[in-house]
PDB file of all heavy atoms in Angstrom:
ATOM      1  N   ALA B 402     -55.991 210.033  47.380  1.00 97.00           N
ATOM      2  CA  ALA B 402     -56.477 211.380  47.088  1.00 97.00           C
ATOM      3  C   ALA B 402     -57.388 211.841  48.229  1.00 97.00           C
ATOM      4  O   ALA B 402     -57.822 211.050  49.064  1.00 97.00           O
ATOM      5  CB  ALA B 402     -57.248 211.386  45.779  1.00 97.00           C
ATOM      6  N   CYS B 403     -57.687 213.146  48.247  1.00 97.00           N
ATOM      7  CA  CYS B 403     -58.611 213.683  49.250  1.00 97.00           C
ATOM      8  C   CYS B 403     -59.985 213.051  49.041  1.00 97.00           C
ATOM      9  O   CYS B 403     -60.525 213.069  47.942  1.00 97.00           O
ATOM     10  CB  CYS B 403     -58.707 215.197  49.127  1.00 97.00           C
ATOM     11  SG  CYS B 403     -60.010 215.914  50.164  1.00 97.00           S
ATOM     12  N   ALA B 404     -60.539 212.495  50.113  1.00 96.00           N
ATOM     13  CA  ALA B 404     -61.836 211.821  50.011  1.00 96.00           C
ATOM     14  C   ALA B 404     -62.965 212.815  49.790  1.00 96.00           C
ATOM     15  O   ALA B 404     -64.060 212.433  49.371  1.00 96.00           O
ATOM     16  CB  ALA B 404     -62.100 211.008  51.274  1.00 96.00           C
ATOM     17  N   LEU B 405     -62.720 214.076  50.074  1.00 96.00           N
ATOM     18  CA  LEU B 405     -63.787 215.073  49.959  1.00 96.00           C
ATOM     19  C   LEU B 405     -63.810 215.767  48.608  1.00 96.00           C
ATOM     20  O   LEU B 405     -64.874 216.043  48.058  1.00 96.00           O
ATOM     21  CB  LEU B 405     -63.652 216.121  51.071  1.00 96.00           C
ATOM     22  CG  LEU B 405     -63.630 215.562  52.500  1.00 96.00           C
ATOM     23  CD1 LEU B 405     -63.376 216.674  53.507  1.00 96.00           C
ATOM     24  CD2 LEU B 405     -64.946 214.854  52.797  1.00 96.00           C
ATOM     25  N   CYS B 406     -62.620 216.096  48.063  1.00 97.00           N
ATOM     26  CA  CYS B 406     -62.585 216.869  46.817  1.00 97.00           C
ATOM     27  C   CYS B 406     -61.809 216.171  45.717  1.00 97.00           C
ATOM     28  O   CYS B 406     -61.779 216.628  44.581  1.00 97.00           O
ATOM     29  CB  CYS B 406     -61.998 218.256  47.059  1.00 97.00           C
ATOM     30  SG  CYS B 406     -60.215 218.262  47.298  1.00 97.00           S
ATOM     31  N   GLY B 407     -61.140 215.075  46.033  1.00 97.00           N
ATOM     32  CA  GLY B 407     -60.404 214.338  45.016  1.00 97.00           C
ATOM     33  C   GLY B 407     -59.011 214.868  44.723  1.00 97.00           C
ATOM     34  O   GLY B 407     -58.326 214.373  43.831  1.00 97.00           O
ATOM     35  N   SER B 408     -58.565 215.877  45.455  1.00 97.00           N
ATOM     36  CA  SER B 408     -57.251 216.474  45.190  1.00 97.00           C
ATOM     37  C   SER B 408     -56.132 215.454  45.367  1.00 97.00           C
ATOM     38  O   SER B 408     -56.143 214.649  46.304  1.00 97.00           O
ATOM     39  CB  SER B 408     -56.998 217.638  46.154  1.00 97.00           C
ATOM     40  OG  SER B 408     -57.756 218.748  45.806  1.00 97.00           O
ATOM     41  N   THR B 409     -55.159 215.553  44.457  1.00 96.00           N
ATOM     42  CA  THR B 409     -53.953 214.755  44.616  1.00 96.00           C
ATOM     43  C   THR B 409     -52.727 215.653  44.724  1.00 96.00           C
ATOM     44  O   THR B 409     -51.609 215.178  44.746  1.00 96.00           O
ATOM     45  CB  THR B 409     -53.775 213.805  43.417  1.00 96.00           C
ATOM     46  OG1 THR B 409     -53.776 214.585  42.218  1.00 96.00           O
ATOM     47  CG2 THR B 409     -54.888 212.772  43.364  1.00 96.00           C
ATOM     48  N   THR B 411     -52.451 218.288  47.089  1.00 97.00           N
ATOM     49  CA  THR B 411     -52.544 219.069  48.327  1.00 97.00           C
ATOM     50  C   THR B 411     -51.980 218.250  49.483  1.00 97.00           C
ATOM     51  O   THR B 411     -51.842 217.030  49.381  1.00 97.00           O
ATOM     52  CB  THR B 411     -54.015 219.393  48.661  1.00 97.00           C
ATOM     53  OG1 THR B 411     -54.743 218.162  48.704  1.00 97.00           O
ATOM     54  CG2 THR B 411     -54.625 220.319  47.623  1.00 97.00           C
ATOM     55  N   TYR B 412     -51.680 218.937  50.578  1.00 97.00           N
ATOM     56  CA  TYR B 412     -51.244 218.259  51.792  1.00 97.00           C
ATOM     57  C   TYR B 412     -52.473 217.657  52.468  1.00 97.00           C
ATOM     58  O   TYR B 412     -53.427 218.349  52.773  1.00 97.00           O
ATOM     59  CB  TYR B 412     -50.555 219.244  52.730  1.00 97.00           C
ATOM     60  CG  TYR B 412     -50.020 218.604  53.989  1.00 97.00           C
ATOM     61  CD1 TYR B 412     -48.845 217.867  53.964  1.00 97.00           C
ATOM     62  CD2 TYR B 412     -50.697 218.735  55.190  1.00 97.00           C
ATOM     63  CE1 TYR B 412     -48.346 217.269  55.110  1.00 97.00           C
ATOM     64  CE2 TYR B 412     -50.205 218.138  56.353  1.00 97.00           C
ATOM     65  CZ  TYR B 412     -49.042 217.412  56.295  1.00 97.00           C
ATOM     66  OH  TYR B 412     -48.561 216.820  57.441  1.00 97.00           O
ATOM     67  N   ARG B 413     -52.408 216.345  52.657  1.00 97.00           N
ATOM     68  CA  ARG B 413     -53.574 215.650  53.216  1.00 97.00           C
ATOM     69  C   ARG B 413     -53.255 215.058  54.584  1.00 97.00           C
ATOM     70  O   ARG B 413     -52.113 214.701  54.856  1.00 97.00           O
ATOM     71  CB  ARG B 413     -54.015 214.531  52.262  1.00 97.00           C
ATOM     72  CG  ARG B 413     -54.842 215.027  51.096  1.00 97.00           C
ATOM     73  CD  ARG B 413     -54.619 214.199  49.841  1.00 97.00           C
ATOM     74  NE  ARG B 413     -53.430 214.639  49.109  1.00 97.00           N
ATOM     75  CZ  ARG B 413     -52.787 213.899  48.217  1.00 97.00           C
ATOM     76  NH1 ARG B 413     -53.195 212.679  47.951  1.00 97.00           N
ATOM     77  NH2 ARG B 413     -51.725 214.377  47.599  1.00 97.00           N
ATOM     78  N   TYR B 425     -58.277 210.018  53.832  1.00 97.00           N
ATOM     79  CA  TYR B 425     -57.406 211.188  53.687  1.00 97.00           C
ATOM     80  C   TYR B 425     -58.217 212.384  53.210  1.00 97.00           C
ATOM     81  O   TYR B 425     -59.095 212.247  52.356  1.00 97.00           O
ATOM     82  CB  TYR B 425     -56.283 210.896  52.691  1.00 97.00           C
ATOM     83  CG  TYR B 425     -55.219 210.019  53.293  1.00 97.00           C
ATOM     84  CD1 TYR B 425     -55.358 208.633  53.290  1.00 97.00           C
ATOM     85  CD2 TYR B 425     -54.103 210.581  53.902  1.00 97.00           C
ATOM     86  CE1 TYR B 425     -54.391 207.826  53.883  1.00 97.00           C
ATOM     87  CE2 TYR B 425     -53.140 209.781  54.497  1.00 97.00           C
ATOM     88  CZ  TYR B 425     -53.286 208.407  54.476  1.00 97.00           C
ATOM     89  OH  TYR B 425     -52.337 207.628  55.070  1.00 97.00           O
ATOM     90  N   ALA B 426     -57.925 213.537  53.793  1.00 97.00           N
ATOM     91  CA  ALA B 426     -58.614 214.753  53.370  1.00 97.00           C
ATOM     92  C   ALA B 426     -57.641 215.916  53.371  1.00 97.00           C
ATOM     93  O   ALA B 426     -56.654 215.917  54.121  1.00 97.00           O
ATOM     94  CB  ALA B 426     -59.777 215.055  54.313  1.00 97.00           C
ATOM     95  N   CYS B 427     -57.915 216.907  52.520  1.00 97.00           N
ATOM     96  CA  CYS B 427     -57.080 218.103  52.490  1.00 97.00           C
ATOM     97  C   CYS B 427     -57.016 218.717  53.879  1.00 97.00           C
ATOM     98  O   CYS B 427     -58.013 218.798  54.586  1.00 97.00           O
ATOM     99  CB  CYS B 427     -57.670 219.169  51.556  1.00 97.00           C
ATOM    100  SG  CYS B 427     -57.723 218.715  49.836  1.00 97.00           S
ATOM    101  N   ASN B 428     -55.813 219.182  54.227  1.00 97.00           N
ATOM    102  CA  ASN B 428     -55.657 219.883  55.493  1.00 97.00           C
ATOM    103  C   ASN B 428     -56.099 221.343  55.370  1.00 97.00           C
ATOM    104  O   ASN B 428     -56.604 221.937  56.315  1.00 97.00           O
ATOM    105  CB  ASN B 428     -54.173 219.777  55.894  1.00 97.00           C
ATOM    106  CG  ASN B 428     -53.849 220.576  57.121  1.00 97.00           C
ATOM    107  OD1 ASN B 428     -53.275 221.649  57.030  1.00 97.00           O
ATOM    108  ND2 ASN B 428     -54.231 220.057  58.279  1.00 97.00           N
ATOM    109  N   ASP B 429     -55.951 221.928  54.176  1.00 97.00           N
ATOM    110  CA  ASP B 429     -56.397 223.299  53.910  1.00 97.00           C
ATOM    111  C   ASP B 429     -57.888 223.234  53.570  1.00 97.00           C
ATOM    112  O   ASP B 429     -58.283 223.000  52.428  1.00 97.00           O
ATOM    113  CB  ASP B 429     -55.574 223.876  52.754  1.00 97.00           C
ATOM    114  CG  ASP B 429     -55.957 225.313  52.406  1.00 97.00           C
ATOM    115  OD1 ASP B 429     -57.075 225.750  52.752  1.00 97.00           O
ATOM    116  OD2 ASP B 429     -55.127 225.994  51.779  1.00 97.00           O
ATOM    117  N   THR B 430     -58.715 223.448  54.571  1.00 96.00           N
ATOM    118  CA  THR B 430     -60.155 223.205  54.384  1.00 96.00           C
ATOM    119  C   THR B 430     -60.803 224.228  53.449  1.00 96.00           C
ATOM    120  O   THR B 430     -61.723 223.897  52.714  1.00 96.00           O
ATOM    121  CB  THR B 430     -60.884 223.220  55.741  1.00 96.00           C
ATOM    122  OG1 THR B 430     -60.556 224.431  56.428  1.00 96.00           O
ATOM    123  CG2 THR B 430     -60.486 222.034  56.586  1.00 96.00           C
ATOM    124  N   PHE B 432     -59.510 225.691  50.803  1.00 97.00           N
ATOM    125  CA  PHE B 432     -59.274 225.317  49.407  1.00 97.00           C
ATOM    126  C   PHE B 432     -60.010 224.030  49.058  1.00 97.00           C
ATOM    127  O   PHE B 432     -60.512 223.868  47.940  1.00 97.00           O
ATOM    128  CB  PHE B 432     -57.769 225.177  49.155  1.00 97.00           C
ATOM    129  CG  PHE B 432     -57.434 224.939  47.710  1.00 97.00           C
ATOM    130  CD1 PHE B 432     -57.874 225.820  46.723  1.00 97.00           C
ATOM    131  CD2 PHE B 432     -56.676 223.842  47.319  1.00 97.00           C
ATOM    132  CE1 PHE B 432     -57.565 225.620  45.386  1.00 97.00           C
ATOM    133  CE2 PHE B 432     -56.366 223.628  45.987  1.00 97.00           C
ATOM    134  CZ  PHE B 432     -56.813 224.515  45.018  1.00 97.00           C
ATOM    135  N   CYS B 433     -60.091 223.112  50.004  1.00 97.00           N
ATOM    136  CA  CYS B 433     -60.809 221.858  49.773  1.00 97.00           C
ATOM    137  C   CYS B 433     -62.280 222.155  49.424  1.00 97.00           C
ATOM    138  O   CYS B 433     -62.838 221.554  48.510  1.00 97.00           O
ATOM    139  CB  CYS B 433     -60.724 220.955  50.994  1.00 97.00           C
ATOM    140  SG  CYS B 433     -61.424 219.299  50.770  1.00 97.00           S
ATOM    141  N   GLU B 434     -62.869 223.101  50.150  1.00 97.00           N
ATOM    142  CA  GLU B 434     -64.262 223.452  49.851  1.00 97.00           C
ATOM    143  C   GLU B 434     -64.406 224.042  48.457  1.00 97.00           C
ATOM    144  O   GLU B 434     -65.363 223.761  47.739  1.00 97.00           O
ATOM    145  CB  GLU B 434     -64.789 224.430  50.911  1.00 97.00           C
ATOM    146  CG  GLU B 434     -65.140 223.725  52.222  1.00 97.00           C
ATOM    147  CD  GLU B 434     -65.235 224.689  53.401  1.00 97.00           C
ATOM    148  OE1 GLU B 434     -65.418 225.909  53.185  1.00 97.00           O
ATOM    149  OE2 GLU B 434     -65.121 224.207  54.548  1.00 97.00           O
ATOM    150  N   ARG B 436     -62.502 223.320  45.926  1.00 97.00           N
ATOM    151  CA  ARG B 436     -62.346 222.190  45.008  1.00 97.00           C
ATOM    152  C   ARG B 436     -63.594 221.308  44.976  1.00 97.00           C
ATOM    153  O   ARG B 436     -63.923 220.722  43.944  1.00 97.00           O
ATOM    154  CB  ARG B 436     -61.142 221.337  45.413  1.00 97.00           C
ATOM    155  CG  ARG B 436     -59.822 221.844  44.877  1.00 97.00           C
ATOM    156  CD  ARG B 436     -59.291 220.897  43.785  1.00 97.00           C
ATOM    157  NE  ARG B 436     -58.184 221.499  43.042  1.00 97.00           N
ATOM    158  CZ  ARG B 436     -56.895 221.246  43.273  1.00 97.00           C
ATOM    159  NH1 ARG B 436     -56.549 220.418  44.233  1.00 97.00           N
ATOM    160  NH2 ARG B 436     -55.968 221.820  42.534  1.00 97.00           N
ATOM    161  N   GLN B 437     -64.278 221.229  46.125  1.00 97.00           N
ATOM    162  CA  GLN B 437     -65.512 220.434  46.130  1.00 97.00           C
ATOM    163  C   GLN B 437     -66.556 221.074  45.232  1.00 97.00           C
ATOM    164  O   GLN B 437     -67.338 220.388  44.580  1.00 97.00           O
ATOM    165  CB  GLN B 437     -66.052 220.301  47.562  1.00 97.00           C
ATOM    166  CG  GLN B 437     -65.198 219.386  48.432  1.00 97.00           C
ATOM    167  CD  GLN B 437     -65.645 219.401  49.887  1.00 97.00           C
ATOM    168  OE1 GLN B 437     -66.824 219.235  50.186  1.00 97.00           O
ATOM    169  NE2 GLN B 437     -64.711 219.615  50.799  1.00 97.00           N
TER     170      GLN B 437
HETATM  171 ZN1   ZN C 171     -59.876 218.114  49.544  1.00 64.62          ZN
END
Side-chain angles (χ1 to χ4, degrees):
Chain B
C403 171
L405 304 175
C406 74
S408 286
T409 56
T411 55
Y412 182 77
R413 280 148 277 160
Y425 284 85
C427 295
N428 174 257
D429 180 339
T430 53
F432 186 55
C433 186
E434 283 162 21
R436 276 251 167 99
Q437 289 173 50

